[in-house]
PDB file of all heavy atoms in Angstrom:
ATOM      1  N   GLY A1406      14.623  73.564 149.900  1.00 90.00           N
ATOM      2  CA  GLY A1406      15.043  72.180 149.866  1.00 90.00           C
ATOM      3  C   GLY A1406      16.046  71.933 150.975  1.00 90.00           C
ATOM      4  O   GLY A1406      16.774  72.847 151.371  1.00 90.00           O
ATOM      5  N   GLY A1407      16.085  70.725 151.468  1.00 80.00           N
ATOM      6  CA  GLY A1407      16.969  70.433 152.593  1.00 80.00           C
ATOM      7  C   GLY A1407      17.924  69.307 152.302  1.00 80.00           C
ATOM      8  O   GLY A1407      17.975  68.784 151.194  1.00 80.00           O
ATOM      9  N   CYS A1408      18.671  68.938 153.308  1.00 69.00           N
ATOM     10  CA  CYS A1408      19.692  67.899 153.156  1.00 69.00           C
ATOM     11  C   CYS A1408      19.267  66.572 153.764  1.00 69.00           C
ATOM     12  O   CYS A1408      19.949  65.567 153.553  1.00 69.00           O
ATOM     13  CB  CYS A1408      20.989  68.374 153.795  1.00 69.00           C
ATOM     14  SG  CYS A1408      21.596  69.893 153.068  1.00 69.00           S
ATOM     15  N   GLY A1409      18.201  66.559 154.533  1.00 84.00           N
ATOM     16  CA  GLY A1409      17.723  65.300 155.086  1.00 84.00           C
ATOM     17  C   GLY A1409      17.099  64.443 154.011  1.00 84.00           C
ATOM     18  O   GLY A1409      16.807  64.912 152.910  1.00 84.00           O
ATOM     19  N   PRO A1410      16.903  63.170 154.272  1.00 93.00           N
ATOM     20  CA  PRO A1410      16.308  62.275 153.274  1.00 93.00           C
ATOM     21  C   PRO A1410      14.914  62.732 152.857  1.00 93.00           C
ATOM     22  O   PRO A1410      14.160  63.298 153.645  1.00 93.00           O
ATOM     23  CB  PRO A1410      16.242  60.921 154.003  1.00 93.00           C
ATOM     24  CG  PRO A1410      17.258  61.019 155.087  1.00 93.00           C
ATOM     25  CD  PRO A1410      17.267  62.460 155.509  1.00 93.00           C
ATOM     26  N   LEU A1411      14.590  62.468 151.624  1.00 97.00           N
ATOM     27  CA  LEU A1411      13.238  62.708 151.140  1.00 97.00           C
ATOM     28  C   LEU A1411      12.311  61.595 151.632  1.00 97.00           C
ATOM     29  O   LEU A1411      12.687  60.424 151.655  1.00 97.00           O
ATOM     30  CB  LEU A1411      13.217  62.727 149.611  1.00 97.00           C
ATOM     31  CG  LEU A1411      13.683  64.007 148.924  1.00 97.00           C
ATOM     32  CD1 LEU A1411      13.851  63.768 147.432  1.00 97.00           C
ATOM     33  CD2 LEU A1411      12.706  65.146 149.170  1.00 97.00           C
ATOM     34  N   HIS A1412      11.114  61.986 152.013  1.00 98.00           N
ATOM     35  CA  HIS A1412      10.058  61.040 152.360  1.00 98.00           C
ATOM     36  C   HIS A1412       8.936  61.271 151.351  1.00 98.00           C
ATOM     37  O   HIS A1412       8.212  62.262 151.425  1.00 98.00           O
ATOM     38  CB  HIS A1412       9.584  61.256 153.792  1.00 98.00           C
ATOM     39  CG  HIS A1412      10.687  61.073 154.807  1.00 98.00           C
ATOM     40  ND1 HIS A1412      11.223  59.838 155.099  1.00 98.00           N
ATOM     41  CD2 HIS A1412      11.362  61.971 155.562  1.00 98.00           C
ATOM     42  CE1 HIS A1412      12.179  59.978 155.999  1.00 98.00           C
ATOM     43  NE2 HIS A1412      12.286  61.261 156.293  1.00 98.00           N
ATOM     44  N   ILE A1413       8.810  60.362 150.410  1.00 98.00           N
ATOM     45  CA  ILE A1413       7.977  60.564 149.229  1.00 98.00           C
ATOM     46  C   ILE A1413       6.666  59.799 149.348  1.00 98.00           C
ATOM     47  O   ILE A1413       6.645  58.614 149.699  1.00 98.00           O
ATOM     48  CB  ILE A1413       8.715  60.110 147.968  1.00 98.00           C
ATOM     49  CG1 ILE A1413      10.052  60.864 147.821  1.00 98.00           C
ATOM     50  CG2 ILE A1413       7.862  60.317 146.723  1.00 98.00           C
ATOM     51  CD1 ILE A1413      10.957  60.287 146.741  1.00 98.00           C
ATOM     52  N   ALA A1414       5.577  60.475 149.023  1.00 98.00           N
ATOM     53  CA  ALA A1414       4.277  59.833 148.864  1.00 98.00           C
ATOM     54  C   ALA A1414       4.019  59.670 147.372  1.00 98.00           C
ATOM     55  O   ALA A1414       4.015  60.658 146.628  1.00 98.00           O
ATOM     56  CB  ALA A1414       3.173  60.675 149.500  1.00 98.00           C
ATOM     57  N   LEU A1415       3.848  58.438 146.938  1.00 98.00           N
ATOM     58  CA  LEU A1415       3.564  58.157 145.534  1.00 98.00           C
ATOM     59  C   LEU A1415       2.056  58.011 145.373  1.00 98.00           C
ATOM     60  O   LEU A1415       1.467  57.009 145.776  1.00 98.00           O
ATOM     61  CB  LEU A1415       4.284  56.882 145.093  1.00 98.00           C
ATOM     62  CG  LEU A1415       4.051  56.414 143.657  1.00 98.00           C
ATOM     63  CD1 LEU A1415       4.486  57.473 142.649  1.00 98.00           C
ATOM     64  CD2 LEU A1415       4.789  55.090 143.402  1.00 98.00           C
ATOM     65  N   LEU A1416       1.435  59.026 144.795  1.00 98.00           N
ATOM     66  CA  LEU A1416      -0.015  59.033 144.594  1.00 98.00           C
ATOM     67  C   LEU A1416      -0.319  58.429 143.226  1.00 98.00           C
ATOM     68  O   LEU A1416      -0.314  59.120 142.211  1.00 98.00           O
ATOM     69  CB  LEU A1416      -0.562  60.454 144.693  1.00 98.00           C
ATOM     70  CG  LEU A1416      -0.294  61.205 145.997  1.00 98.00           C
ATOM     71  CD1 LEU A1416      -0.887  62.604 145.947  1.00 98.00           C
ATOM     72  CD2 LEU A1416      -0.861  60.431 147.189  1.00 98.00           C
ATOM     73  N   MET A1417      -0.573  57.135 143.197  1.00 98.00           N
ATOM     74  CA  MET A1417      -0.854  56.438 141.953  1.00 98.00           C
ATOM     75  C   MET A1417      -2.317  56.589 141.561  1.00 98.00           C
ATOM     76  O   MET A1417      -3.193  56.772 142.415  1.00 98.00           O
ATOM     77  CB  MET A1417      -0.520  54.950 142.090  1.00 98.00           C
ATOM     78  CG  MET A1417       0.960  54.658 142.290  1.00 98.00           C
ATOM     79  SD  MET A1417       1.955  55.068 140.829  1.00 98.00           S
ATOM     80  CE  MET A1417       1.287  53.931 139.597  1.00 98.00           C
TER      81      MET A1417
END
Side-chain angles (χ1 to χ4, degrees):
C1408 301
L1411 281 169
H1412 300 289
I1413 303 169
L1415 178 60
L1416 302 180
M1417 294 293 297

